[in-house]
Amino acid sequence: MSSKVPVDLMPISEEGPSFIRGPYTDPFGIPPGDFKQPTVPTESIPENFDASDPVQKFAGIGLEIASVVIGNVISHPCIVIRRQCQVNRKAAKYHLSPFTLIPVLMRLHSRQGVSCLWKGCSGIFILRGCSIVLETFLAEATPFPREVFSNSSLKQLSQHLLLKLISFGILTPFYCASLVETVQSDIASEKPGVLDCLKEGVCRLLKIGTPRSTRLLPMWQLVGPTAVFGLSTYVLSSLIQSVLHWFRNLKLRNTQRKTLFEYQSSQSSTAKYLEDLSIQYFSSFIASIVMYPAETMLHRLYLQGTRTIIDDLDSGTSVLPVISTYEGFVDCFHTIVNEEGASGLYKGFGALLLEYAMQALLLKAAQVAFREIESMFKPAKKPVSEPIPSETT
């Protein structure tokens, strides 16, 4: 047996919640890495725990795949609709509820086909790879750690957050290019190529390529808000995740009166994975709600001056250009509140609710499916044979 065990098998700490626990998917669609806690020695593991159980391995692989599908494929149409609502300052319908989006989605599907809800998907996956490569490079070229643990020093934690801040800032022009791919209408513009996200990001950074409006904000004005927004969402979601894990473990200790090892060794592997996924998605959901107004403002600043044409989600049958004259982040906030009201900061919020409702539904379906599969692989209990009475002589 290995000398270390996964973080999920750690005993409950009574010192309080660790600062951060992950992973999660941030609003840019980029997973910013894992926050891990330290491993524990083998002596603390119960003898009846089998880390090589094929059922546990199968459940782990299956649920990891399910997590990727839910977070990056199934949710993408909701991301497209949400972003189109956010950048449309002239929209009369704010779509604060998922129910108002259903007829619009039906009209979009009948007019443009199902592909209109999957635009920009390739760009998000490319940004995922760029983020991982960039963070790995920064971690190798600097003393900044790409991962931190619950016993990491304050200096290591600060360096790690600085690495994240730099990464978000460097990728800002590519976030802008990815947003354009996600919201532009298919019937009013050419479909982008697979690598156009990278090409347009470089063009945006160097101010070359397709002529753009003079209202286009310089990149230096967007780097700061992007980095702060990305880091704030990252820390908030991770903090919520850490607190939920700590309270869950504390509750287990108080109610079960046994160690976390004993509980998890007797708990279904499917239940353990799904419980962690549920905490992960719930934390991301709360962070998305808190940071939603900032995301709306940031997306509008990204799109200003790009001459992008989007679908009109008031009707679902027409298109319209995105025209704005914001001078910066603060001016964007005041203009939205004055012209559209405070609820204008939450345009498209119904799509966010729909996205996480779909995730919850799919997680429940995965729970039922893997529970059935797990029961098929469990060995049947052998009947206890009665002792044969000895013959008396």
Side-chain angles (χ1 to χ4, degrees):
M1 182 180 291
S2 172
S3 62
K4 295 183 178 181
V5 295
V7 62
D8 289 333
L9 300 178
M10 288 186 59
I12 305 170
S13 171
E14 296 183 355
E15 299 176 356
S18 61
F19 177 66
I20 291 178
R21 184 165 180 156
Y24 84 103
T25 303
D26 74 353
F28 297 118
I30 313 300
D34 297 350
F35 280 96
K36 299 181 179 179
Q37 297 188 4
T39 54
V40 295
T42 309
E43 290 76 11
S44 303
I45 308 175
E47 295 181 357
N48 62 343
F49 177 76
D50 183 10
S52 61
D53 184 1
V55 178
Q56 294 190 21
K57 288 185 176 181
F58 178 80
I61 295 173
L63 287 170
E64 286 293 333
I65 295 174
S67 174
V68 173
V69 171
I70 292 172
N72 301 282
V73 180
I74 302 298
S75 301
H76 191 76
C78 298
I79 295 175
V80 171
I81 296 300
R82 182 179 85 230
R83 291 180 174 181
Q84 285 190 323
C85 292
Q86 286 177 314
V87 300
N88 187 359
R89 61 189 293 264
K90 296 295 185 181
K93 296 180 180 179
Y94 287 10
H95 295 300
L96 302 178
S97 166
F99 304 105
T100 60
L101 287 169
I102 296 176
V104 176
L105 291 175
M106 295 176 62
R107 285 192 288 269
L108 276 177
H109 177 268
S110 62
R111 182 177 176 82
Q112 301 184 31
V114 71
S115 62
C116 70
L117 299 176
W118 301 96
K119 51 195 174 187
C121 191
S122 61
I124 288 180
F125 279 106
I126 290 175
L127 277 177
R128 177 186 300 276
C130 291
S131 176
I132 294 173
V133 170
L134 178 59
E135 289 187 5
T136 303
F137 171 77
L138 291 175
E140 294 294 332
T142 66
F144 301 162
R146 189 168 182 264
E147 297 176 349
V148 292
F149 302 85
S150 60
N151 62 345
S152 298
S153 65
L154 182 61
K155 178 181 178 181
Q156 290 175 322
L157 178 60
S158 302
Q159 289 176 337
H160 174 77
L161 294 180
L162 182 58
L163 181 143
K164 295 293 182 183
L165 192 72
I166 295 173
S167 176
F168 284 126
I170 293 176
L171 291 175
T172 299
F174 304 100
Y175 292 143
C176 298
S178 177
L179 177 66
V180 172
E181 288 186 359
T182 306
V183 301
Q184 66 183 358
S185 176
D186 284 346
I187 60 176
S189 57
E190 296 182 0
K191 292 185 178 182
V194 177
L195 299 178
D196 279 4
C197 177
L198 297 178
K199 183 182 71 174
E200 290 298 324
V202 173
C203 292
R204 178 74 183 265
L205 178 63
L206 302 178
K207 298 181 180 180
I208 60 176
T210 306
R212 293 178 171 87
S213 168
T214 55
R215 296 187 301 272
L216 188 72
L217 292 175
M219 192 53 57
W220 63 267
Q221 281 189 261
L222 299 175
V223 170
T226 300
V228 172
F229 169 76
L231 185 65
S232 301
T233 308
Y234 177 53
V235 171
L236 178 60
S237 177
S238 302
L239 275 173
I240 296 171
Q241 214 173 138
S242 177
V243 171
L244 290 177
H245 276 287
W246 181 72
F247 274 112
R248 179 195 65 177
N249 295 344
L250 187 63
K251 182 179 178 181
L252 289 176
R253 167 157 291 180
N254 293 334
T255 58
Q256 300 293 334
R257 298 296 179 182
K258 55 186 178 180
T259 66
L260 185 60
F261 280 154
E262 293 173 345
Y263 172 77
Q264 290 196 336
S265 61
S266 62
Q267 187 187 25
S268 165
S269 58
T270 301
K272 288 188 290 186
Y273 279 105
L274 285 171
E275 190 175 22
D276 288 338
L277 280 178
S278 299
I279 291 177
Q280 172 186 333
Y281 283 118
F282 181 77
S283 304
S284 179
F285 177 54
I286 299 301
S288 297
I289 293 176
V290 175
M291 301 301 296
Y292 197 91
E295 183 186 56
T296 299
M297 293 183 285
L298 205 56
H299 285 170
R300 294 198 182 189
L301 295 177
Y302 284 171
L303 220 60
Q304 177 169 300
T306 58
R307 298 180 178 177
T308 302
I309 298 177
I310 64 173
D311 297 310
D312 183 5
L313 297 186
D314 283 349
S315 62
T317 58
S318 59
V319 296
L320 52 87
V322 176
I323 301 175
S324 60
T325 55
Y326 306 120
E327 297 179 0
F329 198 80
V330 176
D331 178 65
C332 181
F333 172 78
H334 289 297
T335 303
I336 292 176
V337 172
N338 293 335
E339 295 182 354
E340 306 167 52
S343 57
L345 297 169
Y346 285 91
K347 279 186 174 180
F349 188 72
L352 182 71
L353 297 178
L354 182 62
E355 175 184 349
Y356 283 94
M358 291 173 59
Q359 291 179 358
L361 181 62
L362 289 172
L363 279 175
K364 185 64 177 178
Q367 180 183 18
V368 174
F370 280 100
R371 185 181 298 165
E372 293 296 324
I373 295 174
E374 193 175 44
S375 63
M376 293 171 57
F377 281 91
K378 281 184 177 179
K381 293 183 179 180
K382 296 181 179 180
V384 179
S385 58
E386 297 181 358
I388 301 175
S390 59
E391 296 182 359
T392 58
T393 56

